[in-house]
Amino acid sequence: MKTYKIALIKGDGIGPEIIDEAVKVLDAVSSCFEFDFSYDEALMGGCAYDITGDPLPAETIKKALASDAVLFGAIGGEKWDDLPREKRPESGLLRFRKELGVYANLRPAVVYDELVNASSLKPEVVRGVDLMVVRELIGGIYFGEPKGRDENKGWNTMVYTRQEIERIAHNAFQIAMERSKRVCSIDKANVLDVSQLWREVVEEVAKEYPEVELSHMYVDNAAMQLIRDPKQFDVMLTGNIFGDILSDEASMLSGSIGLLPSASVGAKIGVYEPIHGSAPDIAGQGIANPIATIASASMMLRYALGEIAAADKIDDAIKRALSEGYRTKDLAQYDAKEICSTSEMGSIIANYAAKCKH
Ligand code: NAD
């Protein structure tokens, strides 16, 4: 029996509520396989600041690096908004990602059939959408030098090295191999030199994946195509700033922020987390949707632990809960048969995931 070590960072607001449900589902699905989990809780965010004076205690990095993967809830809240920048929960999270060297952000956007009416786009446009944005996370214009400002001018630099492009491109192609084998690389090669290099390097990497079909698209066109016909995309590979914008745009196709998982991966340990924040407005009420976090746990099984069959079982269990009409409050108006609490939704999905025929 294999035991995977998972660092659990619950964080603030609804973080503890949604992580508890993901753990419930992980334990349920593991009962069908030859592995289990040992969990090590670590502090980050406002709760860490309150106890230690630091939103990212050194102990947390140590625990993360000693684990097979990190499952992360959310951090932040008004209580800590007036602290100096480096003491704020969000600074802790950025530092954490940098320390772990997680250079690839994977954001799937899936539209569940049962929730096509929850999208702001027409059902016929979003039905069947299942795409993955692969965004470079620790390079590009957010980090490039020189940067600065004076009274009359501000400047940032978009830099990518061949090595940075190669490693993120490999991620995208490897993911495409597990999906429908199509990568669309998004750039602005008609204007930017850095994008010309991006395109060249992506084409070189593509030669190592002859089964994958590669296409290129300018970012302005991609923004439009995502709304016009999102089903044309499978894997969208892109740099930091373009990916930031496109992944938020893609996430809205599905209808609720409470549904969307993500993974940030690199050479060391990956961080698996919902795309939403700590939702202080609903914290402690038992109404948060745990599906984004449960789906993040499924990504952890798939990408960090290679437990594909177990990940598939969780994804199927989520779909089954939705198709049987179970809804948390955020989705109550969309074909709900029964409204459930955070913990009830977790238990329903755990129950389906624990059915051992596979
Ligand atoms: P948010 O994502 O926390 O909430 C936005 C809206 O979506 C709120 O109305 C909230 O109730 C709702 N919502 C979010 N998750 C939900 C869920 N699982 N189920 C049902 N409804 C859900 O964004 P915000 O309000 O802008 O930020 C709140 C705090 O979270 C801030 O301190 C912000 O800095 C922090 N934040 C943290 C992360 C992170 O930890 N990765 C990401 C974004 C924001």
Side-chain angles (χ1 to χ4, degrees), residues 14 72 74-77 90 93 257-258 273 276-282 288-289:
I14 60 171
F72 179 82
I75 47 93
E90 293 79 4
L93 180 56
I257 194 166
E273 56 179 310
H276 58 72
S278 59
D281 53 332
I282 57 167
N289 190 340

Side-chain angles (χ1 to χ4, degrees), residues 14 18 72-78 81 88-90 93 97 256-259 273-282 287-293 328 330:
I14 60 171
I18 52 180
F72 179 82
I75 47 93
E78 238 175 56
D81 278 353
R88 291 186 51 172
E90 293 79 4
L93 180 56
R97 288 177 177 154
S256 169
I257 194 166
L259 294 169
E273 56 179 310
I275 71 158
H276 58 72
S278 59
D281 53 332
I282 57 167
I287 57 172
N289 190 340
I291 289 180
T293 314
T328 41
D330 51 318

Side-chain angles (χ1 to χ4, degrees), residues 116-117 119-126 226-228 230 252-253:
V116 286
N117 293 320
S119 173
S120 51
L121 297 185
K122 290 184 187 133
E124 61 269 29
V125 174
V126 294
L226 252 184
I227 299 298
R228 194 188 68 82
M252 274 327 293
L253 301 168

